[in-house]
Structures are given as C-alpha cells and as structure tokens.
Amino acid sequence: MKKELEEKIMSLDKDLKIFGEKIELVIVGGAAFVLKGLIKRSTRDIDYLNKVNNKLTDLLEGYDINNRVITFETTFGKWEDDTEELQTNAKNIKLKTISNERLLAARMFSRKRFKDLTESFKNLNASINQTKFENILLELIEYNNPIFIGEFRDNKYLIDELYKTRGWNETKNTKRIRES
C-alpha cells in the first residue's frame, strides 16, 4: 500500500545519496494510483515512463522500479506536458505522475484492473475535469494501435459508471467517444 511504496522510495533515496546521484521519475500505473491516494490496494512494483541514466537502471530494478511500461507508451499519449509533482521527503528523487485524467483515460485501454477504475472514480472527489478527460480519451483513441482500441471498446461500459458516479452530463465529445 502507500506506506510501503513511500518506504521503498525513501530507501532508494538513501542509496542515491551514497552514489551522489539524483533522478526524476514519472510514475504511472498502480503505484501512481496508490501514491495519489486514489486506490488502497497493494502493488509490488513502481512503473515509470521517462528515461533515466542507464547506470541507475540496475539500482532501480533492485527496488522493483522499472520502465517496462514504456512498451505501452502509446496508451499514455502526449504525457510529457501533463505531469504533476508528487510530494515526498526524498532529497535525491523528484517524483512526478501524469494527471488524474490521463491516468484514468490510460487505464481505459488496459485489460486489467477494472476495479482500480471504479474505486478511483469514487475517490477522485473534485480532482478530475470532465472536458480534459474527454479530450485525452479522444487523443488516445486517435493515437492508439488496434490492440489497445479493442481493450477500450471492451471497457466502454466504464464510461457510464464514471459519468453516473461523477454526476456528469453527456457532451458532444461523450458521443464521439461512445461512437469510436
């Protein structure tokens, strides 16, 4: 859960200090949901999107921190300008994640962790913008390959649950999303 991930990050921070290194990680996936307090389940690994110095890769792997998710980068779309900093006590690690809207939209293209989505819908309170979410979904629909589009089509029923949970009204973009 969140405490275990924070402890892992602080242990890595100590090792980075010993090596005289600093890094920035853009966290995605289950760890991002947990660290943002959007879900309460446990996760062993921490996935990150950005590139890091190759000499640090082994150190990160030792903490089960990896960028294997880079294979699925298209499910995150144009994420580079849509990040926010996560607050930690780490001195040698700058942690970021993609926006709540992009995390949820990307999860719509995944065949796993539907429970994450429905739990997240309930925990987001006012921290998700409908227009931004819809625009990101449309971006990802245009940007993605057929495999991910198939997953999205299987998950479209979640759109109804999200709108119902959030009390959102349908827009022109909602109709475009449903028709995709």
Side-chain angles (χ1 to χ4, degrees), residues 5-68:
L5 290 177
E6 289 169 339
E7 288 170 357
K8 183 184 289 197
I9 289 162
M10 293 310 296
S11 292
L12 172 62
D13 187 59
K14 289 176 186 173
D15 281 351
L16 287 168
K17 181 179 180 179
I18 291 168
F19 293 118
E21 297 285 344
K22 292 185 182 266
I23 60 169
E24 179 177 297
L25 296 174
V26 179
I27 306 298
V28 294
F33 280 88
V34 171
L35 288 168
K36 289 179 116 181
L38 301 177
I39 61 172
K40 292 183 173 44
R41 73 167 174 85
S42 64
T43 183
R44 285 190 319 268
D45 69 339
I46 297 176
D47 300 311
Y48 65 93
L49 270 177
N50 57 310
K51 306 245 186 286
V52 298
N53 185 327
N54 283 340
K55 69 180 183 177
L56 296 176
T57 305
D58 288 340
L59 176 63
L60 293 172
E61 285 284 341
Y63 283 97
D64 209 3
I65 300 172
N66 66 77
N67 71 341
R68 289 185 292 269

Side-chain angles (χ1 to χ4, degrees), residues 139-152:
E139 168 199 326
L140 296 179
I141 288 165
E142 290 175 23
Y143 191 68
N144 263 292
N145 69 40
I147 294 169
F148 297 123
I149 294 297
E151 298 298 340
F152 174 71

